[in-house]
Amino acid sequence: MSAKKKKKEGEATIIKKYANRRLYDTGRSSYVTLEDLCEMVKEGHDFVVQDAKTGEDLTRQILTQIIVAQEAKGENMLPVSFLKQLIGFYGDNMQS
């Protein structure tokens, strides 16, 4: 974490997603990639992804994109049966 901008302990870093699909890490004051966010997750850093214009929380969508990118690279961690089960949960009462 950069010494330029201190954040409170336990506070999530805000990642802003712009219309051009670029991601900006407000904690480091720099643009990041999905791979950078993947590393942040692996290192245990907490972050929230927000639409830069509307402030909408996009964290779920970005985390899903990271999983898809990792799977596309051949890092098949999720069995097909689990993926099918996960898809089956959509629209089910299990979401709560």
Side-chain angles (χ1 to χ4, degrees), residues 59-77:
T59 308
R60 287 180 187 271
Q61 292 93 323
I62 295 299
L63 292 173
T64 302
Q65 285 180 5
I66 291 169
I67 291 169
V68 169
Q70 295 301 308
E71 290 282 320
K73 285 200 267 184
E75 297 180 30
N76 300 327
M77 296 288 296

Side-chain angles (χ1 to χ4, degrees), residues 15-19 22 49-56 58:
I15 307 293
K16 301 261 183 188
K17 183 175 183 285
Y18 290 91
R22 292 193 74 185
V49 182
Q50 297 176 341
D51 183 282
K53 190 174 185 179
T54 66
E56 178 186 358
L58 303 175

